[in-house]
Amino acid sequence: MSLNAYQRTRTLAETPRATERRLIGQITGELFSAHEAGLTGARLMPALHRNREMWNTFAALCGGPGNTLPDEVRASIVSIGLWVDRYTSKVVSGEESIEPLIDVNRSILEGLSEEVLAA
C-alpha cells in the first residue's frame, strides 16, 4: 500500500478528535524538539508558525457558523488562540520562553486523550 493510500484511509477512519489529537501532538513534538535543540528567536519560526497557524485555525472554526461546541468551550479556544498569537511574537523577539506554548499544547492534548478514554 502506498503512503498516499494509507493517509487517505487514515483520514476516512479517524475521528475529528483523533485528528486534532494527532495534529497537536505532532506540532507539540516539533516545539519540544526545537526547544531541546536550544533553538531561539527566529530559528524557532518553523515550529512556532505551525503552532500559531493551528491555533488560529481552531479559533476561526470556533467563531464560525455551525460549530456545535458549547459556547464556553468555543470562547476558551478563541482565547487560547489569541494568547498563542501574542505570546509567539514575544518568543520570536526573545522576550519569552517557548515552554509555556508547549505546556498549553500538552494540557489540551491530555484533555483530548482523557476525552477519548472516557468515551
Side-chain angles (χ1 to χ4, degrees), residues 32-66:
F32 183 76
S33 293
H35 176 62
E36 287 293 300
L39 301 181
T40 58
R43 295 176 60 204
L44 289 169
M45 278 309 295
L48 291 172
H49 175 71
R50 284 201 62 207
N51 191 58
R52 181 184 264 170
E53 186 176 53
M54 175 184 70
W55 280 106
N56 285 342
T57 300
F58 288 163
L61 290 171
C62 284

Side-chain angles (χ1 to χ4, degrees), residues 8-39:
R8 275 193 305 276
T9 301
R10 182 181 65 200
T11 300
L12 294 174
E14 196 170 55
T15 66
R17 289 285 180 263
T19 302
E20 291 166 353
R21 197 172 60 250
R22 182 173 46 81
L23 177 64
I24 294 170
Q26 288 172 348
I27 291 174
T28 303
E30 291 174 20
L31 292 171
F32 183 76
S33 293
H35 176 62
E36 287 293 300
L39 301 181

Side-chain angles (χ1 to χ4, degrees), residues 34-90:
H35 176 62
E36 287 293 300
L39 301 181
T40 58
R43 295 176 60 204
L44 289 169
M45 278 309 295
L48 291 172
H49 175 71
R50 284 201 62 207
N51 191 58
R52 181 184 264 170
E53 186 176 53
M54 175 184 70
W55 280 106
N56 285 342
T57 300
F58 288 163
L61 290 171
C62 284
N67 189 303
T68 59
L69 288 173
D71 289 345
E72 185 177 306
V73 173
R74 290 175 27 190
S76 293
I77 293 170
V78 169
S79 179
I80 293 169
L82 293 170
W83 176 82
V84 166
D85 192 54
R86 286 189 308 271
Y87 192 85
T88 298
S89 296
K90 292 179 181 181

Side-chain angles (χ1 to χ4, degrees), residues 17 21 106-119:
R17 289 285 180 263
R21 197 172 60 250
R106 283 183 173 162
S107 293
I108 299 299
L109 198 54
E110 285 176 22
L112 287 172
S113 295
E114 289 171 8
E115 203 174 282
V116 168
L117 292 175

